[in-house]
Amino acid sequence: MHKKEPGVAKSVCIAAIIAGVFMLFVLVVILAVSAGRGNGESLYDKDDPILELDVDTFNPAIYGVNKKISFQKKAHFVEFYSSWCGACIGYAPTFKKFAKQLEKWAPLVQVTVVNCADDKNMPLCREHSVSSYPSLRSSSELKLFQYFKYNSASKDDGMKYSGDKYDINKLAHDIAGLAQADAQRQNPENWPTFLPLSDSTTLEDVFKSIGSTPYLAIVVQDSPSVIAWSNLINYHGNNALKVAYVEQKHQIALKFFSDGGAHALLFSNGNAEPMWKSSSPIEKWLDVQEKVEELIGDKIAARSPTIQPVNAAPVIAAPSNPLNNQFEVQLVDLKSAMSYMLYKEIPRREEIRDEPLAALKQWMHTLKKYAPGTTPMRRLFFRLDEWIQLRSVVTANEWTAKVDEIQQALGNPLPKEITWMACAGSKPNLRGYTCGLWTLAHTITVEAYKQEKHNTAFKPVIDVLEPFRAFIFHFLSCSECAQNFTKEAEKNQLHLVTRAEDVYAWLWRVHNFVNKRLSGSLTDDPSFKKQQFPPKSVCPDCYDSNGEIDEAKALPFVFKYYSNIKTDPAENVPGYKVVEYKEGKTLSAGQRHLNPKFQVHAGKVDQLEANEKVKNVLDASPQRTWKDIDGYDNIPESSRTHWYFIWLSLIGVALIVVYCKYRKNRSKFWKTFYYQNDFKL
């Protein structure tokens, strides 16, 4: 019995160590997967014939630079989009329809998307100079759009599309033209020639050239023969139908048509009489496809093109908190809007200069004076304004580094992780940043009126409203949203705002106009419908007997509403119960919390910054840093829990090893005690 004890103890210890190491390994894997997640929900799914690329798969697919990830060489027509962008959400159904029409083009030209709202794709989008959405690019070399041609080697092979992206018929024709130019320059392997039949070629010659292929389609069109090129791409590789085309002067065209328009013919192999010929000029390439499918669709069943799996960004659930109220101004939302603006929106372009830089300087100066938030938050904008005013050009890396430097010096007043409370949508790509940006603008206008209402030199347009409009125009990545806001500013006569009280009243009116225009659109959150503010549920006295908003009553409410910035935490903060007793009886009981937050708008920061400069000059070691009082809560609870668990796991493994050593030594001691002749101490 005693002789077996060392082996059993040893086995138990080994099993315990293996179990501990395995638990630690599993946790590390979970953390790695969690770290790789983005924060954007894709607007496209696996049922759409669209290839979604990210920072890991873009270069292998477009440039073929990574041989470990295999992609077929082809051209790519790419939409760079942002999943929260209202214009992108509105355009998604159109792009899905377009991709479905071009589904058979995939072996030659692949419809592709990249979600720039996913944090991991930020470097990719910045590298390709994508600063507004939706941005369309494709893979060939025309000065029309960023189109990545067959065998693209770098971002310089992409050009921005400048046509009407809503005219998907012309969009397809344009892509066919790019593919034809690509074929002429590079002669890609296994691509059609895109050349018309020679003038001497007869119909019989064509029949002979297609061999046993049962059907032949001939398109009649002079250059640019976009309808013919589109159908060449569409039916390329189909073993039951071949497509050829001729120009108007060709003998085949003259035999069947005389009006000089684009036409099409469908033949069965060897039969000189067409099964079908167009009775009037054709304007769309789809007209040919629809007729072919109607007559012989079941006989030419084309092979379905292989499309690589959609690498869609994982869906991150929107924060769910039944206590959240849509109609509140929360400091959490303001912080997240500021953080997203500083870290995501502004550094989207590689360099900021000229008009965009001038707009950024104006906006930073406005934020310096009127930004809402705690003292560290407002000191952040004070220092950013001082720095940016002296710059003639700013790179994305310089901007991000400066924001990080000031953040660290002030104790990280803004979070890196974006969290929405009152601005949370029913889906991650709804509301969020746009809601936070509107809220930030409203609080700024209200604060400006508070400070400047007795200042006769205050100019609402120059000091507040125009800097906001210019910032939106140059830096809001939803380009259509930015352009629409400028149109609203002109429509609502921004230049005529002169009174101090109109600084917040004007923005409130414009916001209601925008809500009315977008109500019921695809960008409208079904759980938080766009409506006129304030709604009757919040301010019943703000409406007259006809059910219309009474501005005389609504404006004071709006002023008070955006003055009341709530500091509710995104998650419940641990607290402790306090009970007061007197003569053995309970007088009161309440809940209190540790680590109180900085107050919102607690004094001006100008003097604080001036004092800081004086101290820096006098100190032998001028670098002063704040303890991360306001930033500690910005560390995600899940991250803290993960690291605690890792340390506990390591400690557990160490204790198991110590225990095993102890068991082993104890066994030797007792064996030596009982079996002195067999063992030595």
Side-chain angles (χ1 to χ4, degrees):
M1 192 78 175
H2 290 289
K3 291 182 180 180
K4 295 181 180 179
E5 185 178 349
V8 173
K10 184 176 181 181
S11 300
V12 171
C13 290
I14 291 174
I17 291 173
I18 292 174
V21 172
F22 177 75
M23 290 174 62
L24 185 60
F25 172 76
V26 169
L27 180 61
V28 170
V29 171
I30 292 173
L31 287 173
V33 172
S34 300
R37 291 184 176 178
N39 66 348
E41 179 187 15
S42 176
L43 298 181
Y44 306 99
D45 55 48
K46 62 182 180 180
D47 296 326
D48 298 317
I50 296 173
L51 174 66
E52 182 143 6
L53 299 176
D54 58 24
V55 69
D56 299 319
T57 56
F58 187 88
N59 285 358
I62 306 296
Y63 309 134
V65 297
N66 189 342
K67 302 303 180 184
K68 295 181 180 180
I69 305 178
S70 178
F71 286 91
Q72 176 187 348
K73 279 190 175 182
K74 59 178 73 174
H76 290 80
F77 184 76
V78 184
E79 179 203 19
F80 290 86
Y81 75 96
S82 174
S83 54
W84 60 259
C85 164
C88 300
I89 296 171
Y91 182 65
T94 301
F95 200 66
K96 289 181 180 183
K97 181 180 178 181
F98 166 75
K100 186 66 177 176
Q101 291 179 356
L102 269 62
E103 185 172 9
K104 295 178 183 177
W105 296 29
L108 274 67
V109 182
Q110 176 69 65
V111 177
T112 309
V113 294
V114 174
N115 183 9
C116 292
D118 192 338
D119 288 350
K120 67 182 292 185
N121 294 332
M122 280 286 294
L124 172 64
C125 298
R126 184 183 300 143
E127 178 188 355
H128 290 82
S129 302
V130 181
S131 58
S132 61
Y133 313 103
S135 176
L136 296 178
R137 299 173 177 239
S138 106
S139 316
S140 225
E141 288 185 353
L142 274 183
K143 296 296 181 182
L144 294 177
F145 54 89
Q146 291 182 338
Y147 164 99
F148 294 96
K149 65 181 181 180
Y150 175 88
N151 207 26
S152 287
S154 72
K155 61 174 182 164
D156 296 330
D157 290 327
M159 301 176 199
K160 193 172 183 179
Y161 183 72
S162 59
D164 183 0
K165 58 182 175 285
Y166 289 97
D167 186 349
I168 58 177
N169 178 65
K170 187 177 185 304
L171 189 55
H173 289 175
D174 290 339
I175 293 175
L178 292 168
Q180 185 269 347
D182 216 352
Q184 294 300 102
R185 283 192 302 271
Q186 302 193 72
N187 192 25
E189 186 179 359
N190 299 322
W191 274 40
T193 62
F194 290 94
L195 294 174
L197 298 177
S198 65
D199 292 343
S200 60
T201 303
T202 64
L203 187 58
E204 289 72 18
D205 294 334
V206 183
F207 286 146
K208 290 178 182 179
S209 68
I210 66 174
S212 60
T213 304
Y215 297 100
L216 168 68
I218 295 180
V219 178
V220 179
Q221 189 179 27
D222 285 338
S223 185
S225 310
V226 290
I227 295 176
W229 299 335
S230 298
N231 282 281
L232 278 170
I233 299 172
N234 193 54
Y235 290 107
H236 178 67
N238 191 303
N239 296 324
L241 174 67
K242 296 299 180 184
V243 177
Y245 77 99
V246 298
E247 295 180 337
Q248 302 284 356
K249 63 181 180 180
H250 195 279
Q251 55 180 308
I252 296 177
L254 295 174
K255 179 179 178 180
F256 294 100
F257 308 104
S258 60
D259 59 11
H263 284 277
L265 298 157
L266 181 62
F267 298 91
S268 59
N269 196 348
N271 191 341
E273 286 299 318
M275 300 172 57
W276 166 76
K277 72 172 184 175
S278 57
S279 58
S280 58
I282 294 173
E283 295 182 356
K284 302 177 182 178
W285 78 273
L286 284 171
D287 294 340
V288 178
Q289 176 185 258
E290 289 171 0
K291 198 63 181 181
V292 168
E293 297 297 325
E294 175 188 337
L295 295 174
I296 57 172
D298 57 332
K299 299 175 183 177
I300 65 169
R303 57 179 175 82
S304 299
T306 300
I307 299 179
Q308 290 90 341
V310 173
N311 298 312
V315 176
I316 310 297
S320 177
N321 187 344
L323 299 179
N324 285 356
N325 187 345
Q326 176 189 7
F327 298 110
E328 288 181 345
V329 179
Q330 289 285 356
L331 185 62
V332 169
D333 292 328
L334 294 174
K335 284 184 174 183
S336 292
M338 291 174 177
S339 178
Y340 195 92
M341 174 183 68
L342 296 179
Y343 282 108
K344 310 299 181 189
E345 290 288 88
I346 293 174
R348 287 198 188 278
R349 59 190 80 201
E350 290 186 289
E351 279 191 350
I352 307 172
R353 58 170 70 242
D354 302 329
E355 284 189 26
L357 181 60
L360 183 58
K361 289 180 177 181
Q362 291 177 349
W363 180 234
M364 287 299 110
H365 195 65
T366 298
L367 287 169
K368 167 190 173 181
K369 295 190 291 185
Y370 310 120
T374 63
T375 298
M377 290 167 62
R378 290 181 295 125
R379 294 183 75 172
L380 167 65
F381 289 111
F382 188 98
R383 297 184 186 184
L384 271 177
D385 177 62
E386 283 195 330
W387 175 76
I388 196 71
Q389 299 301 335
L390 302 177
R391 305 300 297 253
S392 59
V393 62
V394 178
T395 67
N397 291 335
E398 288 173 342
W399 172 267
T400 304
K402 191 63 181 180
V403 174
D404 279 336
E405 175 191 323
I406 300 174
Q407 277 263 88
Q408 185 177 3
L410 294 173
N412 296 309
L414 297 182
K416 284 291 186 72
E417 183 174 328
I418 305 302
T419 303
W420 305 111
M421 287 186 65
C423 282
S426 60
K427 294 182 179 179
N429 63 310
L430 297 177
R431 304 185 77 228
Y433 176 61
T434 50
C435 167
L437 191 59
W438 274 114
T439 305
L440 175 61
H442 285 298
T443 55
I444 286 173
T445 57
V446 166
E447 180 61 24
Y449 175 64
K450 287 181 182 178
Q451 293 186 28
E452 311 290 357
K453 58 184 175 182
H454 300 304
N455 181 5
T456 56
F458 174 61
K459 299 184 182 302
V461 175
I462 296 175
D463 294 338
V464 179
L465 297 177
E466 176 56 25
F468 178 63
R469 186 211 63 79
F471 173 78
I472 293 296
F473 183 79
H474 289 288
F475 289 95
L476 185 65
S477 54
C478 177
S479 58
E480 289 190 21
C481 307
Q483 293 168 11
N484 287 334
F485 184 75
T486 293
K487 292 177 182 177
E488 291 288 353
E490 294 173 354
K491 181 180 177 181
N492 288 275
Q493 299 180 316
L494 172 62
H495 63 285
L496 296 181
V497 177
T498 55
R499 299 186 305 170
E501 58 266 30
D502 286 338
V503 68
Y504 72 90
W506 182 89
L507 189 67
W508 166 71
R509 294 188 191 101
V510 169
H511 196 173
N512 271 343
F513 282 131
V514 173
N515 280 346
K516 185 177 182 179
R517 176 169 54 83
L518 296 178
S519 179
S521 67
L522 292 173
T523 64
D524 203 359
D525 192 323
S527 300
F528 303 97
K529 292 287 188 180
K530 287 181 170 59
Q531 55 186 311
Q532 298 300 284
F533 184 85
K536 287 185 179 180
S537 59
V538 174
C539 181
D541 294 335
C542 293
Y543 287 77
D544 59 24
S545 58
N546 297 321
E548 300 294 331
I549 292 181
D550 184 349
E551 283 200 4
K553 296 180 179 178
L555 284 175
F557 176 86
V558 170
F559 179 81
K560 183 178 179 181
Y561 175 86
Y562 286 108
S563 299
N564 182 22
I565 300 176
K566 297 182 179 296
T567 57
D568 298 342
E571 298 178 357
N572 292 329
V573 177
Y576 58 94
K577 189 175 183 180
V578 177
V579 182
E580 294 185 11
Y581 296 94
K582 186 176 182 180
E583 297 179 357
K585 296 181 180 180
T586 302
L587 293 181
S588 63
Q591 192 80 5
R592 294 184 182 178
H593 300 279
L594 296 173
N595 190 26
K597 298 291 184 181
F598 288 109
Q599 290 182 346
V600 177
H601 283 308
K604 294 183 178 295
V605 300
D606 306 57
Q607 191 59 46
L608 290 174
E609 288 297 311
N611 293 341
E612 183 79 10
K613 289 180 180 179
V614 172
K615 291 177 182 177
N616 289 342
V617 172
L618 296 177
D619 279 353
S621 178
Q623 179 62 39
R624 293 173 172 268
T625 58
W626 288 39
K627 290 185 178 179
D628 196 356
I629 300 174
D630 198 37
Y632 179 76
D633 288 337
N634 298 329
I635 301 175
E637 182 66 29
S638 58
S639 298
R640 295 203 296 268
T641 303
H642 287 161
W643 287 113
Y644 292 157
F645 192 80
I646 287 177
W647 281 111
L648 290 174
S649 299
L650 291 172
I651 293 171
V653 171
L655 290 175
I656 291 172
V657 172
V658 172
Y659 173 72
C660 290
K661 288 288 185 182
Y662 163 74
R663 288 291 300 270
K664 183 178 179 181
N665 292 334
R666 191 184 69 167
S667 297
K668 285 183 177 181
F669 173 80
W670 288 111
K671 286 177 186 291
T672 303
F673 183 79
Y674 283 113
Y675 305 103
Q676 295 182 15
N677 296 330
D678 299 327
F679 295 89
K680 294 182 178 180
L681 183 62

